Amino acid sequence: MAAEAIAPARERQNGAEAARNAADRDVNTAAAGLNELRRRQIEGMAARLAGGLAAGTPCPVCGATAHPAPARPSADAVDDGAITTAERTLAAATQAAQAAAVALANAQTALAAVLEKAGDGADPLAARQAAVSAAAAQLAAQALADGVPALEQRTADREQQRQQLAQAIEAAATAIALESRAAAEASQRQRALAEQVARELGEGLEPVAVLRAFGPLEAALQALVAGAGAHTRASSALEQAARRLGQELAASPFATAADAAAALQEESWRLKLVERIAAYEAEVIEQRNLLAAPDLADLPETRPDTAAAAEAVTRADAARTRAVERHSEARGAQREITRLAAEHRDGAEALAAKQERADRISAVASRCQGKAAPYISLQRWVLSAYLADICGYANQRLTLMTSGRYQLRLTNEGGHGGRKAGLGLRVLDAYTGEEREVSSLSGGETFQASLALALGVADTVQAHAGGVPLEALFIDEGFGSLDPDNLQLAMDELDRLREGGRMIGLISHVGALRERIRCGIEVIAGDRGSSLRVGVTA
């Protein structure tokens, strides 16, 4: 009976609400503890830096090599391990609070369904349907709870990355301090050298001008050294020639060198005589060798007719020359054909390899551009992965704001290169169990879905940024489209965000919000223009 199920459903709702309140208190306690640990860690940061100082080593903060009074760690100093443990505790408490909120929403949904089905009478079939819905809601809550360990592991991984980055920053700060000190020492040495050069040169002389003047002076000195060497060699050659001339004149019939020069013929005449004598002697030797050959021992007394033989030899030599030329041309053509064939084979192999690589690159490009199956571009595929994370976080908010009725689903509709391929969204209606287009939502439901997506984007950015939170959120209008119940659920979700440490700014003209937002900025219109009033708005 549906009427009999009302009391247990209300008990489950009350229990879930108490669990949610306890989980919220745990979150507040964990956040306060983490803030206290961070405050104590910041106060003891000087002692942590002093622990890494050594005599003669520059300080990474001020660069000094002397450390007369390094800070001492206090008794309540906090290390990174305590901060990590507190952050994990806060993350676990936050996940537990979200799970408790989802369980409360499911319990409220189950109670509303029981009340709706009970009506004025008792309907066993309606009660069984409500029980089935409640069981499905419980399974969904259990699935969310099963995902908590994975989220905790991701949080631990992000914290480890943060610690590694902090160590890298400290190492970089030390390196920068060392480089700065080396640059200062080099600058000091440069100034000392400049002062020494100025003292050596004296007043009124620029070092650059003196260096430029050294070039011509050095060239002139090198030219003078080369000329002195040439003069010395020429003097030595002149002395040797004079000694030899004296020796030659003493052994000749000439008294002086002038008499010997007058008796000399022209150089060209003497050279021609020498060439004729050498040619004659060579011809005599050649003829004697020919006549002494064994083949000429039986020559007849009369001279044979050698003209025909000489002509035949000439023709045969010409034929041999033409044959050798044709043979050389054929060998050259064969080598060229072989080379061209090898080049053709190499070119064909290279072309096949390049064609294969071009086909692979074209296939990859087509896949990345969404022109091949599954017809989703690389950019949209990456955005789809981010959108899936955003939907996961957004559904946690949307479930609470709609009392477990709606959830967003990612769809790949619009394939074959469609403009919305890979980035489509549909909404799952728990009341009907069917998915439908988001355009079918009402104005208030659309605002709830948009708000959940905005909060999901903030959570995704925080998850992908190493746990860096987005501490401020502004929402402009849209609350006027909500009915009182949905407005209450939306404000409950925003209150949970505010209690978690975020600043929430609402821009709206809805008067009902004054009961929930007691402090803000009110714009008042007047005949002289608009004015602002900061403080209590109600």
Side-chain angles (χ1 to χ4, degrees):
M1 297 294 291
E4 296 175 354
I6 293 176
R10 283 181 176 171
E11 291 179 358
R12 286 194 297 272
Q13 177 184 354
N14 295 332
E17 186 173 2
R20 196 275 310 271
N21 294 334
D24 290 342
R25 288 194 296 272
D26 292 340
V27 170
N28 295 332
T29 301
L34 176 60
N35 293 333
E36 177 63 21
L37 290 178
R38 285 177 175 170
R39 183 188 64 78
R40 288 163 52 192
Q41 186 186 41
I42 292 173
E43 291 177 353
M45 190 61 69
R48 291 186 61 186
L49 293 176
L53 297 178
T57 303
C59 175
V61 178
C62 64
T65 57
H67 317 297
R72 300 297 181 184
S74 60
D76 59 346
V78 179
D79 57 2
D80 293 338
I83 296 294
T84 302
T85 303
E87 289 177 347
R88 291 178 178 174
T89 302
L90 177 58
T94 302
Q95 294 293 334
Q98 293 178 354
V102 172
L104 176 58
N106 293 332
Q108 291 174 347
T109 302
L111 178 58
V114 170
L115 293 175
E116 181 181 359
K117 295 300 182 180
D120 297 332
D123 188 355
L125 180 59
R128 285 193 295 271
Q129 293 177 351
V132 171
S133 300
Q138 183 182 3
L139 291 177
Q142 183 62 38
L144 292 175
D146 293 340
V148 170
L151 294 176
E152 292 178 348
Q153 183 62 36
R154 290 177 60 185
T155 302
D157 295 341
R158 293 290 187 267
E159 179 59 25
Q160 184 178 3
Q161 294 177 2
R162 185 192 67 78
Q163 293 178 1
Q164 293 176 354
L165 290 175
Q167 294 175 359
I169 290 172
E170 291 180 1
T174 302
I176 291 173
L178 294 176
E179 293 293 338
S180 300
R181 182 179 179 184
E185 293 177 353
S187 178
Q188 184 177 2
R189 289 196 300 272
Q190 180 182 2
R191 288 194 297 271
L193 291 175
E195 292 175 357
Q196 183 180 359
V197 171
R199 288 195 302 269
E200 294 294 336
L201 292 178
E203 298 182 357
L205 293 178
E206 292 291 336
V208 178
V210 172
L211 289 176
R212 285 199 297 266
F214 280 162
L217 179 60
E218 184 179 3
L221 290 175
Q222 291 178 355
L224 179 60
V225 171
H231 180 268
T232 302
R233 290 191 298 272
S235 298
S236 177
L238 180 60
E239 292 177 357
Q240 294 178 1
R243 288 195 299 269
R244 182 177 179 183
L245 177 60
Q247 296 173 359
E248 294 292 338
L249 288 176
S252 67
F254 301 102
T256 63
D259 296 338
L264 291 175
Q265 293 290 339
E266 294 181 0
E267 182 68 19
S268 60
W269 181 77
R270 290 188 295 107
L271 292 176
K272 290 181 180 178
L273 289 179
V274 171
E275 291 176 355
R276 288 177 60 187
I277 292 171
Y280 176 76
E281 291 178 351
E283 186 177 358
V284 169
I285 293 173
E286 182 180 0
Q287 295 297 328
R288 286 177 179 176
N289 291 333
L290 289 174
L291 293 174
D295 296 339
L296 301 180
D298 298 334
L299 287 177
E301 294 296 334
T302 60
R303 181 177 180 177
D305 184 10
T306 59
E311 184 178 359
V313 170
T314 301
R315 289 195 300 271
D317 186 65
R320 183 188 64 81
T321 301
R322 289 193 299 272
V324 170
E325 290 176 352
R326 288 195 297 271
H327 181 267
S328 299
E329 292 176 356
R331 290 291 297 274
Q334 181 184 8
R335 287 193 298 270
E336 185 67 16
I337 291 172
T338 303
R339 183 184 66 80
L340 292 175
E343 289 183 357
H344 182 269
R345 287 192 300 271
D346 295 340
E349 294 176 357
L351 178 60
K354 290 181 179 179
Q355 183 63 41
E356 182 181 358
R357 184 172 182 272
D359 292 341
R360 291 197 302 269
I361 294 175
S362 177
V364 172
S366 298
R367 182 69 176 271
C368 292
Q369 294 174 358
K371 297 179 180 179
Y375 301 101
I376 299 176
S377 65
L378 178 61
Q379 180 182 7
R380 292 189 177 277
W381 182 79
V382 174
L383 293 177
S384 177
Y386 280 105
L387 185 56
D389 292 342
I390 292 172
C391 287
Y393 288 106
N395 284 331
Q396 297 178 8
R397 316 288 186 184
L398 187 59
T399 300
L400 296 176
M401 287 187 287
T402 61
S403 299
R405 178 176 181 180
Y406 293 122
Q407 283 196 351
L408 297 175
R409 291 289 185 266
L410 186 64
T411 178
N412 291 331
E413 291 183 358
H416 296 283
R419 295 183 60 185
K420 297 183 180 179
L423 298 178
L425 285 177
R426 294 178 65 85
V427 62
L428 174 62
D429 191 344
Y431 286 3
T432 62
E434 296 180 355
E435 292 185 0
R436 51 192 174 96
E437 297 292 337
V438 293
S439 59
S440 63
L441 296 175
S442 65
E445 293 170 344
T446 301
F447 172 73
Q448 290 175 327
S450 301
L451 178 59
L453 284 173
L455 298 177
V457 170
D459 293 337
T460 303
V461 171
Q462 177 178 350
H464 287 274
V468 177
L470 298 178
E471 299 179 351
L473 178 65
F474 290 89
I475 302 174
D476 186 7
E477 289 299 343
F479 294 94
S481 60
L482 300 177
D483 55 49
D485 293 337
N486 288 329
L487 179 61
Q488 180 72 19
L489 292 175
M491 292 304 299
D492 290 342
E493 181 62 24
L494 295 178
D495 285 342
R496 279 190 289 273
L497 291 175
R498 183 175 56 81
E499 292 171 359
R502 291 184 178 176
M503 180 182 69
I504 308 299
L506 303 182
I507 304 173
S508 179
H509 62 278
V510 178
L513 293 179
R514 294 174 179 268
E515 300 176 0
R516 299 293 296 269
I517 304 174
R518 309 296 296 177
C519 184
I521 301 174
E522 184 177 6
V523 180
I524 303 173
D527 54 355
R528 295 184 179 181
S530 299
S531 61
L532 299 179
R533 183 173 64 187
V534 181
V536 178
T537 59

